[in-house]
């Protein structure tokens, strides 16, 4: 049976969402947070929100990663907040620190350059380690070996609505490999030569691209709705990316030879350090090139906030049933905002029709 265009699973909700029953069936998945000890207030705030809106009924494990050991208070407070098990991992230096082959002189020069351009985190060394780690190493941490799916959470985020389903189950049942809620433009100064590297990669390994890829989401012929002025743009990349502070993904995609080949190619260019390549454009471009567009999923019903943007379900019935606390007409609601790349995602054509 063919159903009309929709990415919505609310069709499946014949009765209002059950709010209190404990669900016994779980996927092989963990909630994942990379963070620092001093971020504990924001960590607890994010945990409380996700537990309340989703996890208290499922009790998925929480996995915490850090480049230095977590302290006792962090471990006690997060264990107390979690409904599921908690695990704490120390990232090995070789997965986190700047590799020895980075040219230190050039690196310092470029830090200064981005600082002068007033690029956010332009002169931060640790932010670059974080972006490279999230691009190429998080899925290789020992603690994640046992899992198939992860749900990335950051400190100080909020989930505005009850989850109408287990998103991990949606991923497995619908064969999704990458899930997002918000898509926006990247700061061009952070990715000056990223697209050159990607084009070189595509020229070198054309067979690695998925035949039903989302290249059309990343490049456009028009600049309509583009927020950051691009008069000087040297790149065909439209700067669209999935905002990776919210991510639900299949770890096996990132572990694949194809993704690793892609990551290693980019890494060898040094752009994580000489520029400030973010894990968001790197994941987004990787998923867009290597996956079938139908393997990437926009979670339309999840209300979410990470300063300065949020997303709130448009449908009033969804907002009521899911007890949302957000305003779809608010200034920072992103789906239909000119800063949003969501229209480009729709135009890219994924998920137009479901065959049920
Ligand atoms: P923004 O969202 O781009 O402004 O960057 P954040 O400061 O939120 O950093 C992104 C994620 O990486 C968050 O989960 C942070 O807690 C984490 N993070 C950033 N820098 C570090 C770091 O140096 N060490 C650790 N352990 N986590 C970090
Ligand atoms: Mn953040």
């Amino acid at each position: 049976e063919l159903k009309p265009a929709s990415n919505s699973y609310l069709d499946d909700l014949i009765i209002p969402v059950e709010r209190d029953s404990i669900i016994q069936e779980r996927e092989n998945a963990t909630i994942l947070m990379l963070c620092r000890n001093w971020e504990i207030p924001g960590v607890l705030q994010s945990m409380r929100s996700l537990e309340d809106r989703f996890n208290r009924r499922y009790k998925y494990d929480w996995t915490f990663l850090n480049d230095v050991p977590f302290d006792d208070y962090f471990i006690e407070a997060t264990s107390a907040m979690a409904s599921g098990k908690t695990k704490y991992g120390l990232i090995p230096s070789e997965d986190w620190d700047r590799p020895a082959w980075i040219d230190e002189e050039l690196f310092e020069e470029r830090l200064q350059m981005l600082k002068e351009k007033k690029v956010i985190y332009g002169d931060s060394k640790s932010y670059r380690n974080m972006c490279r780690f999230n691009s190429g190493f998080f899925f290789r941490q020992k603690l994640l070996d046992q899992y198939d799916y992860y749900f990335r959470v950051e400190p100080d985020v909020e989930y505005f609505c009850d989850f109408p389903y287990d998103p991990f189950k949606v991923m497995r049942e619908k064969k999704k490999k990458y899930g997002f809620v918000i898509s926006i433009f990247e700061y061009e100064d952070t990715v000056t030569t990223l697209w050159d590297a990607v084009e070189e990669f595509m020229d070198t390994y054309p067979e690695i691209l998925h035949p039903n890829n989302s290249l059309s989401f990343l490049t456009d012929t028009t600049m309509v709705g583009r927020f950051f002025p691009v008069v000087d743009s040297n790149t065909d990349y439209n700067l669209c990316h999935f905002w990776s502070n919210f991510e639900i993904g299949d770890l096996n995609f990132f572990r694949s030879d194809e993704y690793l080949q892609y990551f290693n190619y980019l890494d060898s260019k040094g752009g994580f350090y000489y520029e400030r390549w973010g894990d968001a454009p790197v994941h987004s471009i990787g998923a867009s090139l290597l996956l079938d567009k139908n393997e990437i999923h926009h979670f339309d019903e999840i209300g979410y906030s990470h300063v300065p943007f949020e997303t709130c379900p448009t449908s009033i019935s969804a907002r009521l049933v899911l007890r949302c606390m957000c305003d779809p007409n608010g200034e920072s609601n992103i789906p239909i905002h000119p800063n949003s790349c969501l229209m480009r995602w729709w135009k890219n054509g994924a998920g137009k029709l479901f065959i049920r």
Side-chain angles (χ1 to χ4, degrees), residues 33-37 39 65-68 70 91 96 120-121 126-127 129-130 134 152-155 243 245 276 279 306-307:
M33 181 142 44
L34 168 77
C35 56
R36 292 157 286 198
N37 285 304
E39 292 180 291
L65 298 175
N66 194 347
D67 57 307
V68 300
F70 283 112
I91 300 163
W96 183 267
I120 184 165
Y121 305 114
S126 66
Y127 194 85
N129 291 343
M130 181 275 288
N134 275 330
R152 174 166 159 188
V153 172
E154 284 199 359
W243 219 24
N245 48 67
R276 206 219 66 197
D279 54 281
H306 171 298
V307 172

Side-chain angles (χ1 to χ4, degrees), residues 3-11 301 351-354 356:
K3 286 252 177 112
S6 163
N7 255 347
S8 173
Y9 291 94
L10 283 179
D11 314 4
E301 303 84 6
K352 280 272 169 57
L353 278 176
F354 274 143
R356 289 226 169 112

